Amino acid sequence: MNDRSSRRTFKQRQKEACLAVLVEAAETVIYREGYHQAHMQQIAREAGCAAGTLYLYFKSKEELYQAMVTRHTEAITDQLRVAMATKRDPVEQLKAKTVSLLDYFNRHRAYFRVSFTEAPGGRADIKSNLRDRALKAYLEFKKHELATIKRAQKQGLLRTDLPAEELVEFVHGTTASTLARWSAQTSPPRPAAQLRYLWGFLQAGLGIRNEKESGTRNGKGNGHR
Amino acid sequence: MNDRSSRRTFKQRQKEACLAVLVEAAETVIYREGYHQAHMQQIAREAGCAAGTLYLYFKSKEELYQAMVTRHTEAITDQLRVAMATKRDPVEQLKAKTVSLLDYFNRHRAYFRVSFTEAPGGRADIKSNLRDRALKAYLEFKKHELATIKRAQKQGLLRTDLPAEELVEFVHGTTASTLARWSAQTSPPRPAAQLRYLWGFLQAGLGIRNEKESGTRNGKGNGHR
Amino acid sequence: MNDRSSRRTFKQRQKEACLAVLVEAAETVIYREGYHQAHMQQIAREAGCAAGTLYLYFKSKEELYQAMVTRHTEAITDQLRVAMATKRDPVEQLKAKTVSLLDYFNRHRAYFRVSFTEAPGGRADIKSNLRDRALKAYLEFKKHELATIKRAQKQGLLRTDLPAEELVEFVHGTTASTLARWSAQTSPPRPAAQLRYLWGFLQAGLGIRNEKESGTRNGKGNGHR
Amino acid sequence: MNDRSSRRTFKQRQKEACLAVLVEAAETVIYREGYHQAHMQQIAREAGCAAGTLYLYFKSKEELYQAMVTRHTEAITDQLRVAMATKRDPVEQLKAKTVSLLDYFNRHRAYFRVSFTEAPGGRADIKSNLRDRALKAYLEFKKHELATIKRAQKQGLLRTDLPAEELVEFVHGTTASTLARWSAQTSPPRPAAQLRYLWGFLQAGLGIRNEKESGTRNGKGNGHR
DNA sequence: AATGAATGAGAGTTCATTCAT
DNA sequence: GATGAATGAACTCTCATTCAT
């Protein structure tokens, strides 16, 4: 039994490694060509295998695309959760999340651009493009963020004239649209400017009061004058 | 001569009517199926004509799509310009523009959804999807809006810590992303809620000072606590 | 009756004029574009009428093409017959025919090129491309030429080791191939050289003896040295 | 290594066999229907494969056609060169070439008919229809033939009143036109008659002096000096 | 008679998917 | 398990022909 289970584990790992290679190849090609212009032959060539091999691991092109989305969604939510865990103050958690997301964004612009513009089904919002595990991961993270926002509202750190649910939507919508814009530009703002920009608007939209303690605040009084 | 010119006008109108019918048919089908799944045959059937007829009016599928984009872009900018002209105060102009845009949006959700997600070239931002007349109309309107924002800044009605150019980008980005989100939802907010929502965030992001009547102002004694 | 018949004659002439215009337009376009790339719309535009009008005069594109072939075939055979009638000696008749044909060729290269390379049915030899009146005109002329050759043979002016029928075929084949070649060249030989060249080979192939009497002979003794 | 190279050879051969099958199928259908009426579907059916398969081997219909032309051009020039190499006397070489060409012609009438009448580009002369390898093979062979003719002229076996270049053109033009004519006839002359006929005229045109056995000379001495 | 917008069958070509090896 | 040649349905676009005006 020990023998069997360790062998299975090895095979599992092997399979996972294969999946990762194929998904990365797909991402590379789709980033370069766009979803519809990315052909299975090209993806296979990029991955160093035959076209038929792709179908041993994925039922269809669409499923290969979903695997790519799932992989990123899980990676993102994992990373953001970790980032939020480094802070106690809910507003700082939200900011840390934003920092971390921008970090991910800058390392994976390929993905953002494609997911915002070339989704095979053709949906514009985040949620509609997610399936199964990706959707689950996304919704769980959103719940987590909602709780954080509610906590912040209770502590009087955020505007309360809108329900927390709507604020979460605002954060995601604004963030998504901003990243979509940047992902499509040939030269988006540099990371430092990105944070100032995005967090500035989130701050404003969420009605975040003066962060007296913040070291990244860019002026006394508040952001807008 | 009178005779000739009136006859030409009739023909022109007839042709324009045809174009409108075909573009509307294209919009209907593309909305239902997405750009890549919308076939010329289906569009023709929807329009009540043969597939070949489409090619009497448009050189290619892409051009048919661009005609649809141009038509809407010009209609939108015309309508927004009119709406802005009804007010004198720059902030009120911006608000009137938002109201008018939401009005257009609710009457043409098809277009927004498609243009945000299915553009044949696959670009995420507004500008990259526009060609020729559409691009010209869009840029001219943006210039107009930029002037309005600069005027508002001079009058101390908006934040001045960011250049007007960036504020315009913010307004367009936030608006686009919000509309993109709503256009993809099966049941987006009702018009009344839409305005409160979108204008609320624009107001916050632009750092608009107390409007006399506003209950959502973020200054002291303000909406969020 | 006088009244009626004169009116009919006028109408007939009108119709013939129309046919001529349309055939000429077809020739122009087909020469420029080739048969398959010449579209009925273009031909109509060239003729200054609508596409539908072509079908009032010709049942199909193929028939329009045949009309063009017929027109030229009749014009050529008429002209050649006249040219031959100016001489009494059979060899001189054959030479006069060649001169006249080259004259026609140089005034209508369009037609030769097309008829040799773009015939809709795709036949290489002269006869296969002719229908009805054109075929009749061609065969009649050939019969006339055959008689001339036979006469020349009887007078001992031509080789007699091959039957006259084969010599006619040789003359037509060599002439056709030569004109086909020249019609396809951007710069074929000048008329003077053409005659020397083509007649030179016909002379040789037909086994024409020294033309002591010929006034067009270009050297004493004979053509080749 | 032995293993590898033999396997590659096998694959190469397999591919070449496929190409040959497809080209032959194309030839069959094009011969039957003509180039423009020969559809890729029919060619595929003739070859016993799917339409898409053709595109694994040829980029387009035009390229498939060119492959057919190249294949024949190379086969012809190879065969003719071999035939010429069997003789030492230049005139006999030219005659052997003609014999060999007629042999090829009778085994591949399909090709001649099509190439003379249905070339996609629509040119009448040989050269204009050749691309790349085919053109190269043709030009090289022509150079070879030119040398042969020059040699014959030096030995006083051919007329010298025309430059060798023009004589080559005459040979090719006359041969091409003759084969074009025969290829289009339902019952062309039998091989024996073909040679007598074609060589007879070439002989005359080239001013070939009495061959000892020749019965086709038409006069004592001869026509040209 | 003349028009020319409309037709629609059918062309060449593509590419996700399959399956014999 | 891996292959990649083969598939064939489905695409966009063309153009000779028709027919209501």
Side-chain angles (χ1 to χ4, degrees), chain A residues 36 113 117 122-124 158-160 166 170 173 177 197 201 205 207 223-225, chain B residues 36 113 117-118 123-124 158-161 166 170 173 177 197 201 204 218 224-225:
Chain A
H36 283 98
R113 174 162 155 187
T117 59
R123 293 298 167 270
L158 261 58
R159 67 196 289 184
T160 52
E166 224 163 292
F170 161 71
S177 83
Y197 190 87
F201 289 125
H224 12 103
R225 272 245 81 130
Chain B
H36 282 98
R113 173 161 156 190
T117 60
E118 296 264 9
R123 290 297 166 272
L158 261 59
R159 65 194 290 185
T160 53
D161 59 328
E166 222 163 293
F170 161 72
S177 82
Y197 190 87
F201 289 124
N218 58 331
H224 11 103
R225 290 228 74 126

mmCIF file of all heavy atoms in Angstrom, chain A residues 36 113 117 122-124 158-160 166 170 173 177 197 201 205 207 223-225, chain B residues 36 113 117-118 123-124 158-161 166 170 173 177 197 201 204 218 224-225:
data_model
loop_
_atom_site.group_PDB
_atom_site.id
_atom_site.type_symbol
_atom_site.label_atom_id
_atom_site.label_comp_id
_atom_site.label_asym_id
_atom_site.label_seq_id
_atom_site.Cartn_x
_atom_site.Cartn_y
_atom_site.Cartn_z
ATOM 1 N N HIS A 36 -8.925 33.531 -30.064
ATOM 2 C CA HIS A 36 -9.436 32.939 -31.305
ATOM 3 C C HIS A 36 -8.329 32.659 -32.319
ATOM 4 O O HIS A 36 -8.452 31.761 -33.137
ATOM 5 C CB HIS A 36 -10.514 33.837 -31.917
ATOM 6 C CG HIS A 36 -11.824 33.721 -31.209
ATOM 7 N ND1 HIS A 36 -12.240 34.632 -30.249
ATOM 8 C CD2 HIS A 36 -12.798 32.783 -31.280
ATOM 9 C CE1 HIS A 36 -13.419 34.250 -29.792
ATOM 10 N NE2 HIS A 36 -13.791 33.149 -30.395
ATOM 11 N N ARG A 113 -4.879 40.722 -19.629
ATOM 12 C CA ARG A 113 -5.321 41.224 -20.915
ATOM 13 C C ARG A 113 -6.264 40.254 -21.605
ATOM 14 O O ARG A 113 -7.334 40.623 -22.068
ATOM 15 C CB ARG A 113 -4.094 41.452 -21.809
ATOM 16 C CG ARG A 113 -4.502 41.838 -23.195
ATOM 17 C CD ARG A 113 -3.363 42.467 -23.908
ATOM 18 N NE ARG A 113 -3.489 42.318 -25.337
ATOM 19 C CZ ARG A 113 -2.544 42.665 -26.187
ATOM 20 N NH1 ARG A 113 -1.412 43.149 -25.719
ATOM 21 N NH2 ARG A 113 -2.721 42.527 -27.469
ATOM 22 N N THR A 117 -10.467 40.565 -22.284
ATOM 23 C CA THR A 117 -10.872 40.936 -23.633
ATOM 24 C C THR A 117 -11.198 39.783 -24.556
ATOM 25 O O THR A 117 -11.887 39.962 -25.543
ATOM 26 C CB THR A 117 -9.740 41.721 -24.323
ATOM 27 O OG1 THR A 117 -8.588 40.890 -24.363
ATOM 28 C CG2 THR A 117 -9.430 42.984 -23.588
ATOM 29 N N GLY A 122 -17.262 35.444 -23.949
ATOM 30 C CA GLY A 122 -17.515 36.850 -24.183
ATOM 31 C C GLY A 122 -18.241 37.552 -23.060
ATOM 32 O O GLY A 122 -19.204 38.278 -23.292
ATOM 33 N N ARG A 123 -17.801 37.349 -21.835
ATOM 34 C CA ARG A 123 -18.429 38.073 -20.725
ATOM 35 C C ARG A 123 -17.467 39.121 -20.207
ATOM 36 O O ARG A 123 -16.265 38.895 -20.195
ATOM 37 C CB ARG A 123 -18.788 37.103 -19.586
ATOM 38 C CG ARG A 123 -19.872 36.132 -19.937
ATOM 39 C CD ARG A 123 -21.193 36.843 -20.265
ATOM 40 N NE ARG A 123 -22.120 35.921 -20.896
ATOM 41 C CZ ARG A 123 -22.191 35.733 -22.210
ATOM 42 N NH1 ARG A 123 -21.383 36.394 -23.009
ATOM 43 N NH2 ARG A 123 -23.054 34.897 -22.714
ATOM 44 N N ALA A 124 -18.036 40.221 -19.785
ATOM 45 C CA ALA A 124 -17.175 41.322 -19.384
ATOM 46 C C ALA A 124 -16.789 41.288 -17.913
ATOM 47 O O ALA A 124 -15.721 41.716 -17.544
ATOM 48 C CB ALA A 124 -17.855 42.639 -19.683
ATOM 49 N N LEU A 158 -14.797 53.457 7.103
ATOM 50 C CA LEU A 158 -15.309 53.565 5.727
ATOM 51 C C LEU A 158 -16.691 54.209 5.736
ATOM 52 O O LEU A 158 -17.377 54.196 6.758
ATOM 53 C CB LEU A 158 -15.464 52.166 5.114
ATOM 54 C CG LEU A 158 -14.391 51.625 4.194
ATOM 55 C CD1 LEU A 158 -13.067 51.607 4.914
ATOM 56 C CD2 LEU A 158 -14.782 50.232 3.755
ATOM 57 N N ARG A 159 -17.056 54.718 4.622
ATOM 58 C CA ARG A 159 -18.392 55.276 4.459
ATOM 59 C C ARG A 159 -19.418 54.182 4.771
ATOM 60 O O ARG A 159 -19.208 53.000 4.501
ATOM 61 C CB ARG A 159 -18.605 55.783 3.043
ATOM 62 C CG ARG A 159 -18.615 54.688 1.992
ATOM 63 C CD ARG A 159 -18.445 55.232 0.609
ATOM 64 N NE ARG A 159 -19.639 55.941 0.196
ATOM 65 C CZ ARG A 159 -19.801 56.466 -1.009
ATOM 66 N NH1 ARG A 159 -18.824 56.356 -1.916
ATOM 67 N NH2 ARG A 159 -20.893 57.109 -1.326
ATOM 68 N N THR A 160 -20.556 54.599 5.271
ATOM 69 C CA THR A 160 -21.589 53.623 5.646
ATOM 70 C C THR A 160 -22.897 53.902 4.917
ATOM 71 O O THR A 160 -23.900 53.258 5.166
ATOM 72 C CB THR A 160 -21.852 53.662 7.160
ATOM 73 O OG1 THR A 160 -22.108 55.028 7.515
ATOM 74 C CG2 THR A 160 -20.663 53.124 7.921
ATOM 75 N N GLU A 166 -22.217 46.538 -1.806
ATOM 76 C CA GLU A 166 -22.021 47.425 -2.931
ATOM 77 C C GLU A 166 -20.579 47.938 -2.981
ATOM 78 O O GLU A 166 -20.014 48.143 -4.060
ATOM 79 C CB GLU A 166 -23.013 48.593 -2.855
ATOM 80 C CG GLU A 166 -23.645 48.902 -4.202
ATOM 81 C CD GLU A 166 -24.911 49.745 -4.084
ATOM 82 O OE1 GLU A 166 -25.927 49.230 -3.568
ATOM 83 O OE2 GLU A 166 -24.855 50.918 -4.503
ATOM 84 N N PHE A 170 -17.880 47.747 -5.934
ATOM 85 C CA PHE A 170 -17.148 48.917 -6.410
ATOM 86 C C PHE A 170 -15.653 48.621 -6.487
ATOM 87 O O PHE A 170 -14.989 48.923 -7.482
ATOM 88 C CB PHE A 170 -17.406 50.115 -5.504
ATOM 89 C CG PHE A 170 -16.370 51.181 -5.646
ATOM 90 C CD1 PHE A 170 -16.306 51.962 -6.797
ATOM 91 C CD2 PHE A 170 -15.429 51.413 -4.640
ATOM 92 C CE1 PHE A 170 -15.337 52.937 -6.943
ATOM 93 C CE2 PHE A 170 -14.450 52.382 -4.786
ATOM 94 C CZ PHE A 170 -14.403 53.155 -5.933
ATOM 95 N N GLY A 173 -15.037 46.175 -9.325
ATOM 96 C CA GLY A 173 -15.302 46.789 -10.623
ATOM 97 C C GLY A 173 -14.233 47.791 -11.000
ATOM 98 O O GLY A 173 -13.674 47.743 -12.108
ATOM 99 N N SER A 177 -11.582 47.229 -13.976
ATOM 100 C CA SER A 177 -11.560 48.119 -15.143
ATOM 101 C C SER A 177 -10.193 48.773 -15.288
ATOM 102 O O SER A 177 -9.683 48.951 -16.391
ATOM 103 C CB SER A 177 -12.645 49.163 -15.033
ATOM 104 O OG SER A 177 -12.213 50.237 -14.231
ATOM 105 N N TYR A 197 -2.310 55.611 -7.893
ATOM 106 C CA TYR A 197 -3.489 55.851 -8.708
ATOM 107 C C TYR A 197 -4.682 55.000 -8.250
ATOM 108 O O TYR A 197 -5.729 55.521 -7.871
ATOM 109 C CB TYR A 197 -3.146 55.513 -10.156
ATOM 110 C CG TYR A 197 -4.180 55.923 -11.140
ATOM 111 C CD1 TYR A 197 -4.187 57.210 -11.686
ATOM 112 C CD2 TYR A 197 -5.162 55.023 -11.539
ATOM 113 C CE1 TYR A 197 -5.151 57.590 -12.588
ATOM 114 C CE2 TYR A 197 -6.133 55.399 -12.448
ATOM 115 C CZ TYR A 197 -6.123 56.683 -12.973
ATOM 116 O OH TYR A 197 -7.084 57.058 -13.863
ATOM 117 N N PHE A 201 -8.125 56.095 -5.846
ATOM 118 C CA PHE A 201 -9.543 56.077 -6.192
ATOM 119 C C PHE A 201 -10.351 55.145 -5.301
ATOM 120 O O PHE A 201 -11.493 55.440 -4.962
ATOM 121 C CB PHE A 201 -9.722 55.708 -7.667
ATOM 122 C CG PHE A 201 -9.279 56.822 -8.565
ATOM 123 C CD1 PHE A 201 -8.333 56.624 -9.546
ATOM 124 C CD2 PHE A 201 -9.812 58.106 -8.390
ATOM 125 C CE1 PHE A 201 -7.916 57.675 -10.352
ATOM 126 C CE2 PHE A 201 -9.396 59.157 -9.193
ATOM 127 C CZ PHE A 201 -8.444 58.944 -10.178
ATOM 128 N N GLY A 205 -13.473 56.287 -3.211
ATOM 129 C CA GLY A 205 -14.770 55.638 -3.391
ATOM 130 C C GLY A 205 -15.268 54.985 -2.119
ATOM 131 O O GLY A 205 -16.470 54.948 -1.858
ATOM 132 N N GLY A 207 -14.571 56.045 0.773
ATOM 133 C CA GLY A 207 -14.709 57.076 1.797
ATOM 134 C C GLY A 207 -13.783 56.833 2.979
ATOM 135 O O GLY A 207 -14.174 56.995 4.137
ATOM 136 N N GLY A 223 -6.444 63.149 0.215
ATOM 137 C CA GLY A 223 -5.958 62.954 -1.160
ATOM 138 C C GLY A 223 -6.453 63.992 -2.132
ATOM 139 O O GLY A 223 -5.747 64.421 -3.020
ATOM 140 N N HIS A 224 -7.669 64.387 -1.993
ATOM 141 C CA HIS A 224 -8.162 65.331 -2.993
ATOM 142 C C HIS A 224 -8.401 66.691 -2.402
ATOM 143 O O HIS A 224 -8.868 66.848 -1.286
ATOM 144 C CB HIS A 224 -9.460 64.854 -3.635
ATOM 145 C CG HIS A 224 -10.124 63.718 -2.969
ATOM 146 N ND1 HIS A 224 -11.209 63.843 -2.176
ATOM 147 C CD2 HIS A 224 -9.801 62.404 -3.003
ATOM 148 C CE1 HIS A 224 -11.590 62.648 -1.759
ATOM 149 N NE2 HIS A 224 -10.735 61.760 -2.245
ATOM 150 N N ARG A 225 -8.095 67.561 -3.194
ATOM 151 C CA ARG A 225 -8.308 68.959 -2.814
ATOM 152 C C ARG A 225 -8.950 69.668 -3.970
ATOM 153 O O ARG A 225 -8.299 69.879 -4.962
ATOM 154 C CB ARG A 225 -6.932 69.587 -2.583
ATOM 155 C CG ARG A 225 -6.464 69.396 -1.193
ATOM 156 C CD ARG A 225 -6.376 70.738 -0.545
ATOM 157 N NE ARG A 225 -7.664 71.177 -0.088
ATOM 158 C CZ ARG A 225 -7.843 71.630 1.150
ATOM 159 N NH1 ARG A 225 -6.873 71.627 1.992
ATOM 160 N NH2 ARG A 225 -9.012 72.073 1.507
ATOM 161 N N HIS B 36 -17.693 36.368 -32.651
ATOM 162 C CA HIS B 36 -17.134 35.262 -33.437
ATOM 163 C C HIS B 36 -18.182 34.212 -33.794
ATOM 164 O O HIS B 36 -18.061 33.538 -34.805
ATOM 165 C CB HIS B 36 -15.967 34.624 -32.687
ATOM 166 C CG HIS B 36 -14.710 35.427 -32.775
ATOM 167 N ND1 HIS B 36 -14.315 36.286 -31.771
ATOM 168 C CD2 HIS B 36 -13.787 35.538 -33.759
ATOM 169 C CE1 HIS B 36 -13.178 36.880 -32.132
ATOM 170 N NE2 HIS B 36 -12.845 36.448 -33.329
ATOM 171 N N ARG B 113 -22.292 45.658 -24.069
ATOM 172 C CA ARG B 113 -21.763 44.348 -23.748
ATOM 173 C C ARG B 113 -20.812 43.864 -24.832
ATOM 174 O O ARG B 113 -19.701 43.410 -24.556
ATOM 175 C CB ARG B 113 -22.925 43.361 -23.612
ATOM 176 C CG ARG B 113 -22.432 41.969 -23.447
ATOM 177 C CD ARG B 113 -23.507 41.122 -22.876
ATOM 178 N NE ARG B 113 -23.298 39.726 -23.210
ATOM 179 C CZ ARG B 113 -24.199 38.796 -22.990
ATOM 180 N NH1 ARG B 113 -25.370 39.139 -22.472
ATOM 181 N NH2 ARG B 113 -23.947 37.554 -23.286
ATOM 182 N N THR B 117 -16.481 43.407 -24.767
ATOM 183 C CA THR B 117 -15.962 42.052 -24.587
ATOM 184 C C THR B 117 -15.620 41.323 -25.863
ATOM 185 O O THR B 117 -14.864 40.365 -25.833
ATOM 186 C CB THR B 117 -17.001 41.182 -23.851
ATOM 187 O OG1 THR B 117 -18.194 41.151 -24.630
ATOM 188 C CG2 THR B 117 -17.290 41.741 -22.493
ATOM 189 N N GLU B 118 -16.184 41.747 -26.990
ATOM 190 C CA GLU B 118 -16.071 40.893 -28.167
ATOM 191 C C GLU B 118 -15.415 41.588 -29.342
ATOM 192 O O GLU B 118 -15.536 41.136 -30.469
ATOM 193 C CB GLU B 118 -17.464 40.435 -28.610
ATOM 194 C CG GLU B 118 -18.141 39.579 -27.602
ATOM 195 C CD GLU B 118 -17.927 38.112 -27.933
ATOM 196 O OE1 GLU B 118 -17.127 37.806 -28.832
ATOM 197 O OE2 GLU B 118 -18.562 37.289 -27.295
ATOM 198 N N ARG B 123 -9.167 44.298 -27.974
ATOM 199 C CA ARG B 123 -8.534 45.259 -27.075
ATOM 200 C C ARG B 123 -9.523 45.647 -25.984
ATOM 201 O O ARG B 123 -10.733 45.698 -26.215
ATOM 202 C CB ARG B 123 -8.109 46.513 -27.839
ATOM 203 C CG ARG B 123 -6.957 46.288 -28.775
ATOM 204 C CD ARG B 123 -5.708 45.881 -28.020
ATOM 205 N NE ARG B 123 -4.687 45.353 -28.917
ATOM 206 C CZ ARG B 123 -4.623 44.068 -29.265
ATOM 207 N NH1 ARG B 123 -5.490 43.210 -28.768
ATOM 208 N NH2 ARG B 123 -3.692 43.635 -30.062
ATOM 209 N N ALA B 124 -8.969 45.934 -24.814
ATOM 210 C CA ALA B 124 -9.837 46.147 -23.677
ATOM 211 C C ALA B 124 -10.287 47.596 -23.539
ATOM 212 O O ALA B 124 -11.378 47.859 -23.060
ATOM 213 C CB ALA B 124 -9.134 45.716 -22.405
ATOM 214 N N LEU B 158 -13.167 70.802 -8.102
ATOM 215 C CA LEU B 158 -12.615 69.427 -8.175
ATOM 216 C C LEU B 158 -11.226 69.394 -7.540
ATOM 217 O O LEU B 158 -10.565 70.420 -7.417
ATOM 218 C CB LEU B 158 -12.443 69.018 -9.642
ATOM 219 C CG LEU B 158 -13.491 68.154 -10.304
ATOM 220 C CD1 LEU B 158 -14.834 68.837 -10.263
ATOM 221 C CD2 LEU B 158 -13.073 67.897 -11.742
ATOM 222 N N ARG B 159 -10.806 68.205 -7.218
ATOM 223 C CA ARG B 159 -9.462 68.019 -6.704
ATOM 224 C C ARG B 159 -8.466 68.506 -7.765
ATOM 225 O O ARG B 159 -8.704 68.403 -8.963
ATOM 226 C CB ARG B 159 -9.193 66.559 -6.365
ATOM 227 C CG ARG B 159 -9.212 65.661 -7.591
ATOM 228 C CD ARG B 159 -9.291 64.196 -7.223
ATOM 229 N NE ARG B 159 -8.035 63.743 -6.613
ATOM 230 C CZ ARG B 159 -7.825 62.470 -6.285
ATOM 231 N NH1 ARG B 159 -8.776 61.554 -6.481
ATOM 232 N NH2 ARG B 159 -6.695 62.117 -5.727
ATOM 233 N N THR B 160 -7.356 69.008 -7.269
ATOM 234 C CA THR B 160 -6.346 69.523 -8.207
ATOM 235 C C THR B 160 -5.008 68.806 -8.039
ATOM 236 O O THR B 160 -4.019 69.166 -8.670
ATOM 237 C CB THR B 160 -6.122 71.031 -7.984
ATOM 238 O OG1 THR B 160 -5.840 71.234 -6.600
ATOM 239 C CG2 THR B 160 -7.322 71.837 -8.408
ATOM 240 N N ASP B 161 -4.992 67.803 -7.163
ATOM 241 C CA ASP B 161 -3.728 67.086 -6.962
ATOM 242 C C ASP B 161 -3.401 66.152 -8.113
ATOM 243 O O ASP B 161 -2.311 65.611 -8.208
ATOM 244 C CB ASP B 161 -3.770 66.293 -5.648
ATOM 245 C CG ASP B 161 -4.902 65.286 -5.646
ATOM 246 O OD1 ASP B 161 -5.953 65.573 -6.266
ATOM 247 O OD2 ASP B 161 -4.743 64.208 -5.056
ATOM 248 N N GLU B 166 -5.595 63.049 -16.192
ATOM 249 C CA GLU B 166 -5.744 61.798 -15.471
ATOM 250 C C GLU B 166 -7.170 61.642 -14.945
ATOM 251 O O GLU B 166 -7.711 60.532 -14.882
ATOM 252 C CB GLU B 166 -4.731 61.749 -14.316
ATOM 253 C CG GLU B 166 -4.078 60.386 -14.193
ATOM 254 C CD GLU B 166 -2.798 60.428 -13.364
ATOM 255 O OE1 GLU B 166 -1.804 61.054 -13.813
ATOM 256 O OE2 GLU B 166 -2.811 59.851 -12.265
ATOM 257 N N PHE B 170 -9.761 58.671 -15.488
ATOM 258 C CA PHE B 170 -10.465 58.021 -14.384
ATOM 259 C C PHE B 170 -11.960 57.934 -14.669
ATOM 260 O O PHE B 170 -12.592 56.892 -14.505
ATOM 261 C CB PHE B 170 -10.210 58.786 -13.079
ATOM 262 C CG PHE B 170 -11.229 58.471 -12.028
ATOM 263 C CD1 PHE B 170 -11.233 57.235 -11.378
ATOM 264 C CD2 PHE B 170 -12.212 59.408 -11.688
ATOM 265 C CE1 PHE B 170 -12.178 56.945 -10.405
ATOM 266 C CE2 PHE B 170 -13.164 59.119 -10.716
ATOM 267 C CZ PHE B 170 -13.148 57.890 -10.084
ATOM 268 N N GLY B 173 -12.518 55.428 -17.470
ATOM 269 C CA GLY B 173 -12.201 54.067 -17.035
ATOM 270 C C GLY B 173 -13.251 53.533 -16.081
ATOM 271 O O GLY B 173 -13.776 52.433 -16.266
ATOM 272 N N SER B 177 -15.846 50.589 -17.014
ATOM 273 C CA SER B 177 -15.824 49.321 -16.295
ATOM 274 C C SER B 177 -17.167 49.049 -15.638
ATOM 275 O O SER B 177 -17.642 47.924 -15.591
ATOM 276 C CB SER B 177 -14.718 49.320 -15.257
ATOM 277 O OG SER B 177 -15.141 49.984 -14.081
ATOM 278 N N TYR B 197 -25.219 55.275 -7.802
ATOM 279 C CA TYR B 197 -24.004 54.485 -7.696
ATOM 280 C C TYR B 197 -22.837 55.095 -8.482
ATOM 281 O O TYR B 197 -21.795 55.440 -7.928
ATOM 282 C CB TYR B 197 -24.300 53.080 -8.222
ATOM 283 C CG TYR B 197 -23.209 52.098 -7.964
ATOM 284 C CD1 TYR B 197 -23.142 51.386 -6.770
ATOM 285 C CD2 TYR B 197 -22.226 51.863 -8.923
ATOM 286 C CE1 TYR B 197 -22.140 50.487 -6.531
ATOM 287 C CE2 TYR B 197 -21.209 50.968 -8.696
ATOM 288 C CZ TYR B 197 -21.166 50.274 -7.497
ATOM 289 O OH TYR B 197 -20.163 49.383 -7.262
ATOM 290 N N PHE B 201 -19.485 57.425 -7.151
ATOM 291 C CA PHE B 201 -18.060 57.120 -7.209
ATOM 292 C C PHE B 201 -17.277 58.137 -8.019
ATOM 293 O O PHE B 201 -16.146 58.469 -7.688
ATOM 294 C CB PHE B 201 -17.840 55.707 -7.747
ATOM 295 C CG PHE B 201 -18.261 54.680 -6.739
ATOM 296 C CD1 PHE B 201 -19.197 53.710 -7.054
ATOM 297 C CD2 PHE B 201 -17.736 54.696 -5.449
ATOM 298 C CE1 PHE B 201 -19.590 52.781 -6.113
ATOM 299 C CE2 PHE B 201 -18.132 53.766 -4.498
ATOM 300 C CZ PHE B 201 -19.065 52.809 -4.836
ATOM 301 N N ALA B 204 -16.729 61.038 -5.787
ATOM 302 C CA ALA B 204 -15.670 60.764 -4.818
ATOM 303 C C ALA B 204 -14.297 60.810 -5.495
ATOM 304 O O ALA B 204 -13.359 61.445 -5.016
ATOM 305 C CB ALA B 204 -15.892 59.396 -4.179
ATOM 306 N N ASN B 218 -18.504 63.694 0.848
ATOM 307 C CA ASN B 218 -17.567 63.005 1.718
ATOM 308 C C ASN B 218 -16.762 63.938 2.615
ATOM 309 O O ASN B 218 -15.804 63.531 3.224
ATOM 310 C CB ASN B 218 -16.610 62.159 0.879
ATOM 311 C CG ASN B 218 -15.859 63.031 -0.123
ATOM 312 O OD1 ASN B 218 -16.396 64.063 -0.551
ATOM 313 N ND2 ASN B 218 -14.645 62.668 -0.457
ATOM 314 N N HIS B 224 -20.139 58.997 4.584
ATOM 315 C CA HIS B 224 -19.544 57.758 5.100
ATOM 316 C C HIS B 224 -18.944 58.001 6.454
ATOM 317 O O HIS B 224 -18.285 58.997 6.726
ATOM 318 C CB HIS B 224 -18.474 57.180 4.171
ATOM 319 C CG HIS B 224 -18.052 58.063 3.072
ATOM 320 N ND1 HIS B 224 -16.894 58.753 3.096
ATOM 321 C CD2 HIS B 224 -18.678 58.383 1.917
ATOM 322 C CE1 HIS B 224 -16.770 59.443 1.984
ATOM 323 N NE2 HIS B 224 -17.867 59.238 1.254
ATOM 324 N N ARG B 225 -19.155 57.075 7.226
ATOM 325 C CA ARG B 225 -18.689 57.156 8.607
ATOM 326 C C ARG B 225 -17.964 55.902 8.933
ATOM 327 O O ARG B 225 -18.583 54.868 8.986
ATOM 328 C CB ARG B 225 -19.907 57.195 9.541
ATOM 329 C CG ARG B 225 -20.698 58.442 9.488
ATOM 330 C CD ARG B 225 -20.938 58.895 10.899
ATOM 331 N NE ARG B 225 -19.716 59.429 11.406
ATOM 332 C CZ ARG B 225 -19.646 60.657 11.931
ATOM 333 N NH1 ARG B 225 -20.704 61.423 11.992
ATOM 334 N NH2 ARG B 225 -18.514 61.113 12.396
#
